[in-house]
Amino acid sequence: MGLRLGLETVAARTVGALSRAAGRGGGTTLPGKLLWRLDPGAVDALAARLERGVALVSATNGKTTTTAMAAGILEREHRLAWNRAGANLLSGLASALVAGTDAELGLFEVDEAALPEAIVRTRPRAVLLSNLFRDQLDRYGELEIVAERWRAAMEELPPETVLLVNADDPVVADLADGRERALRFGLDDPTHARPALQHAADSKYCLRCGAPYAYAAAYVGHLGDYRCEVCGHARPPLDVAATRIELVGMHGSRFRLVTAREELDVELALPGLYNVYNAVAASALALSLGASVASVRAGLEGFSAAFGRFERIPAGGKRVVVLLIKNPAGANEALRTLETGVPPVLVVALNDAIADGRDVSWIWDVDFEPILPHVDRVVASGERAEELGLRLVYGGLPSEKLEVLPALEAALDRGLELIEAGTELVVLPTYTAMLALRGVLAERGLVRQYWETTAP
């Protein structure tokens, strides 16, 4: 490391330490922002010094969990630099590189819009693209815009880079078309398919001719086994697949991981098909980077949850279960997980900060209707609590079962008051509401701050 780069990284680490000491945050982005201001090329230099290269993970849904799962596998065999707290813009990657003083492999989740520049800066050894759903329309625009940016970035990938794509997503799978070094993953168990595409599904039409896709199996949103009956464009064969899937309500899931080399049975402590997708994606990435099958199984089965993503937090003889929601596809899968045992009380928190997306019209595409007849009480909270409450009433929730408490702490306390000892309060917050909720719980000593929880 050159003298200038060494001095810059020392300065950035010092800023991060001061931020944590002052209680101003976890230092997950500030060091990177400073480094970027001092020398944008420092990110390139720090990434280049990693002897085993860099792997990037991007998606609309699940990138934090997928990256954390992959880290749980890879850190058994490698020293990692990774953005543990989910800071996924270039400043977050820079901060993780600064912190990874002895790392040999970089593993970074990357914001969808930041991915093209992250590729240029880090020259990755592997890129994992898991899905594209409609999300934060006021920031990203329609998903086709993101897809075109990704397509341009994939065309610039070095030929030696391995591109891993979710074959069940028509738009994402197409990004690997014709590429020699590509791996395709997905689910292969029609017993867990929905009877039809949901009304809010995104990529319904053939990329080649525009005709509607026919689905032999629709798993999550538009993800599934698709085929155009007009031109024949279809899901490509899977290199890594999950079969024999068992969903055990809120308690977890099981599946068989099938690769070209061998098969193994995996038990996850996380529920839902979306977490099976995350696990298959993480497995494919780890295997492409040389991880052993033993490490894959141990890493997945030892994984509990990324912060805010199905966390169970003890709270005075009760438990708070946090399931992040941020767009129709993710919210619908969280609600689908609850359908096997709808909790009597729900707290749903809707914010409209920049990180959530100012446009909250997406809540009208969330399928609340199947669970609302089975709940005793819903507490609507957050900056847009009133609009959320209106959506729930239009969805069939009797007004006497709805309480609107915009202050998140008050909503949390009310929810805990309404449930019995030894039971769980399920909270469905958007991103900034989730951070605020964990902040409240941290102040009460019930959980550590997310940057402390995820610190090396």
Side-chain angles (χ1 to χ4, degrees), residues 219-306:
Y219 296 116
V220 174
H222 62 266
L223 307 185
D225 185 359
Y226 54 88
R227 180 177 180 81
C228 175
E229 297 181 339
V230 175
C231 72
H233 180 246
R235 179 178 76 167
L238 303 178
D239 299 304
V240 181
T243 66
R244 301 187 186 182
I245 300 168
E246 297 179 49
L247 302 178
V248 194
M250 291 279 285
H251 302 289
S253 52
R254 306 183 189 96
F255 66 94
R256 173 160 290 182
L257 184 70
V258 179
T259 75
R261 296 197 302 252
E262 53 191 304
E263 302 181 5
L264 64 151
D265 293 319
V266 176
E267 291 204 21
L268 281 180
L270 300 180
L273 279 178
Y274 54 101
N275 278 314
V276 177
Y277 266 118
N278 294 336
V280 175
S283 301
L285 177 60
L287 290 168
S288 76
L289 294 170
S292 67
V293 171
S295 289
V296 170
R297 176 186 278 120
L300 293 180
E301 295 193 344
F303 185 80
S304 54

Side-chain angles (χ1 to χ4, degrees), residues 326-373:
K326 66 190 189 79
N327 53 36
N332 284 339
E333 286 310 303
L335 292 168
R336 184 182 182 184
T337 302
L338 298 179
E339 287 179 19
T340 56
V342 178
V345 178
L346 281 177
V347 175
V348 188
L350 177 66
N351 280 358
D352 64 351
I354 293 295
D356 304 294
R358 295 291 193 188
D359 182 356
V360 297
S361 61
W362 62 270
I363 63 173
W364 295 89
D365 282 332
V366 177
D367 295 328
F368 290 104
E369 283 76 3
I371 70 163
L372 293 180

Side-chain angles (χ1 to χ4, degrees), residues 386-430:
E386 290 83 0
E387 189 164 350
L388 173 62
L390 180 66
R391 166 67 184 95
L392 296 174
V393 170
Y394 267 90
L397 182 71
S399 57
E400 62 271 16
K401 291 187 174 185
L402 173 68
E403 296 186 28
V404 178
L405 296 173
L408 187 60
E409 187 168 9
L412 172 65
D413 288 337
R414 179 58 176 155
L416 288 170
E417 177 187 346
L418 288 168
I419 66 170
E420 298 179 356
T423 61
E424 294 182 333
L425 172 66
V426 175
V427 184
L428 304 173
T430 56

Side-chain angles (χ1 to χ4, degrees), residues 161-219:
T161 300
V162 179
L163 178 58
L164 301 100
V165 295
N166 185 347
D168 292 357
D169 187 318
V171 174
V172 172
D174 190 61
L175 298 176
D177 192 38
R179 188 173 183 87
E180 184 175 346
R181 300 209 68 192
L183 279 174
R184 297 164 177 86
F185 62 89
L187 306 190
D188 189 15
D189 188 344
T191 62
H192 289 284
R194 290 182 180 273
L197 281 182
Q198 295 172 284
H199 73 279
D202 294 306
S203 299
K204 302 178 181 180
Y205 300 101
C206 178
L207 299 176
R208 303 286 188 268
C209 71
Y213 282 118
Y215 277 78
Y219 296 116

Side-chain angles (χ1 to χ4, degrees), residues 58 88-90 110-119 139-140 150:
S58 197
N88 57 30
L89 298 177
L90 268 295
V110 187
D111 174 85
E112 300 96 296
L115 180 65
E117 185 168 7
I119 288 173
R139 177 175 171 227
Y140 296 123
W150 278 15

Side-chain angles (χ1 to χ4, degrees), residues 34-117:
L34 174 63
L35 187 64
W36 192 262
R37 182 177 292 273
L38 290 172
D39 179 10
V43 174
D44 309 47
L46 288 172
R49 71 186 177 130
L50 295 168
E51 59 189 84
R52 296 190 178 275
V54 167
L56 302 179
V57 177
S58 197
T60 305
N61 288 345
K63 55 185 172 288
T64 298
T65 299
T66 297
T67 308
M69 285 179 169
I73 298 167
L74 292 166
E75 65 188 0
R76 296 171 182 273
E77 301 175 10
H78 303 292
R79 300 186 305 277
L80 295 183
W82 66 288
N83 44 349
R84 298 167 180 265
N88 57 30
L89 298 177
L90 268 295
S91 56
L93 271 64
S95 295
L97 285 164
V98 166
T101 53
D102 66 340
E104 56 184 354
L105 174 65
L107 174 65
F108 306 118
E109 70 160 279
V110 187
D111 174 85
E112 300 96 296
L115 180 65
E117 185 168 7

